[in-house]
Amino acid sequence: MDRRNFLRIAGGGVVLAAAGGCSEALPAGALTAWKGPAAGETELRRWVLSYALLAPHSHNLQSWRADLSRPGEILLSCDLARTLPETDPFGRQIVMSHGTFLGLLELAARERGHRAEIEAFPEGVFGPERLDTRPLARVRLIPDAGVRRDPLFAQVLRRHTNREAYAERAPSPEGLRGIADAAQAPGLRVGFTSGDAAQLAAHRRLASKAWRIELTTPRTILESYKWLRIGPSEIERHRDGISINAPMLRLVDAIGLFDRTKAPAPGDRATVQQLEDFDRKIATTPAFFWLVSEGNDRITQLRAGSAYVRAQLAATAHGLSMQPLSQALQEYPEQASTYAGIHALAGAKPGQTVQMWTRLGYGPVIAPAPRRGLQAQLVGA
């Protein structure tokens, strides 16, 4: 008998039992970091880092490494084992993810009456082709009576990337203004869809096409499989990557019917279902947001990451959700047409780069993504 038929016919009761007895909620231990710094934490650097590590990161890789060996300093580097060489071959998204980290770090420092003096790439800037072991930033926390607290800090523990379906009503004008104001930075500009039906349709088509390419290109889907965490045990152990606690996939994985070393065929039922699910969500997405930079050097990428996390915090403050649509922004050959497409839709001129493109709307309440915690981010910890 065909194994898939066996699962469908003989396994129905097992699946039903699993669905009735297992929660899709993530294990509490994987979410501990979202409570903020440990009780009684008095070391300022550790305190601000406890907030910085809640920043959004591509594939939730959390590739940040903080060296505290020099008193009064934080040396931020990248764990090169936590990168995406297939979908992010030049490391642009990884550098942006370090920018989001620095953005939250700066907000946390302000909360404690300190100015974060950030020296980008203190030992030299990475070239455009690849990342290396040199630090991305050296941070000194300077007491400063003139520093003002930033109201966006109040959203740090509430900010989550929301991949669920959004309500079809358009974002409020106040929300859009808040996002645009928060993301202001030299050499960057923000954009939103206007609500025009043709414009929305063009963004939706492009998002769907880019997602299909990534999901049906073997080497790129296998890169995502590498970071899948299925079931409470894996999620609790790793506290990173793409967490799935759905009973059906847990069952299929447990009985050996999900091989994470092999890419599915384009017509695979699970692949088709994922595409249909994404298309349903994108079809009712009421707005899109983008962030365009002048140039694309590494310091600009850091700045864009910081601007993006501020934009998402502002969205959170206005009850809005964001989900990055990274696929069309990725510089691998199969996405060349969608890469050109999003640059055209965002009005990017030659020499400009679309650093971020997201869905935007009113989403349901969701749980946060797992975080590895402070000790896992420290060099030598």
Side-chain angles (χ1 to χ4, degrees), residues 96-322:
M96 278 194 66
S97 296
H98 284 72
T100 65
F101 183 95
L102 291 170
L104 293 194
L105 184 153
E106 197 271 341
L107 287 176
R110 283 180 172 272
E111 193 69 10
R112 293 287 296 271
H114 284 67
R115 170 170 44 86
E117 184 179 88
I118 300 173
E119 179 186 1
F121 299 98
E123 297 177 13
V125 182
F126 303 153
E129 297 297 324
R130 63 183 62 84
L131 311 178
D132 61 43
T133 59
R134 287 175 290 178
L136 288 92
R138 176 181 286 120
V139 182
R140 297 179 179 88
L141 302 177
I142 312 297
D144 188 341
V147 163
R148 298 176 61 183
R149 292 179 174 180
D150 193 315
L152 290 178
F153 179 77
Q155 306 303 324
V156 171
L157 299 182
R158 299 180 60 239
R159 180 216 62 81
H160 310 313
T161 296
N162 196 323
R163 297 175 175 83
E164 300 302 317
Y166 298 165
E168 293 189 57
R169 64 190 176 99
S172 70
E174 295 79 12
L176 297 182
R177 282 196 298 270
I179 293 167
D181 289 346
Q184 289 298 319
L188 298 173
R189 67 171 174 86
V190 301
F192 304 93
T193 47
S194 64
D196 174 76
Q199 185 190 36
L200 277 174
H203 279 261
R204 291 167 177 168
R205 284 194 301 271
L206 190 66
S208 179
K209 178 181 178 181
W211 177 233
R212 179 178 295 274
I213 289 170
E214 184 151 318
L215 204 61
T216 58
T217 300
R219 71 181 192 285
T220 59
I221 189 60
L222 286 176
E223 185 168 72
S224 291
Y225 279 7
K226 174 184 175 182
W227 296 101
L228 279 182
R229 311 306 187 200
I230 300 174
S233 178
E234 283 190 14
I235 294 169
E236 177 80 27
R237 184 167 69 254
H238 294 285
R239 305 186 185 194
D240 64 4
I242 304 166
S243 298
I244 301 177
N245 205 23
M248 175 67 81
L249 185 56
R250 287 168 55 183
L251 172 67
V252 171
D253 186 59
I255 62 179
L257 294 184
F258 179 31
D259 187 346
R260 298 184 221 183
T261 68
K262 295 181 180 179
D268 179 87
R269 183 178 178 185
T271 299
V272 171
Q273 288 177 338
Q274 287 183 70
L275 292 170
E276 291 175 347
D277 179 64
F278 182 81
D279 285 348
R280 279 193 297 270
K281 292 173 182 176
I282 212 73
T284 57
T285 295
F288 294 82
F289 159 81
W290 57 87
L291 186 63
V292 178
S293 67
E294 297 288 344
N296 190 31
D297 60 87
R298 297 303 191 181
I299 292 177
T300 295
Q301 292 166 7
L302 278 181
R303 188 180 298 125
S306 181
Y308 170 65
V309 76
R310 290 181 61 84
Q312 195 180 24
L313 291 170
T316 303
H318 287 274
L320 288 160
S321 297
M322 286 184 174

Side-chain angles (χ1 to χ4, degrees), residues 31-49:
L31 306 179
T32 301
W34 288 96
K35 297 178 180 178
E41 181 59 75
T42 59
E43 214 280 358
L44 178 62
R45 294 175 299 171
R46 294 174 61 92
W47 193 90
V48 300
L49 288 171

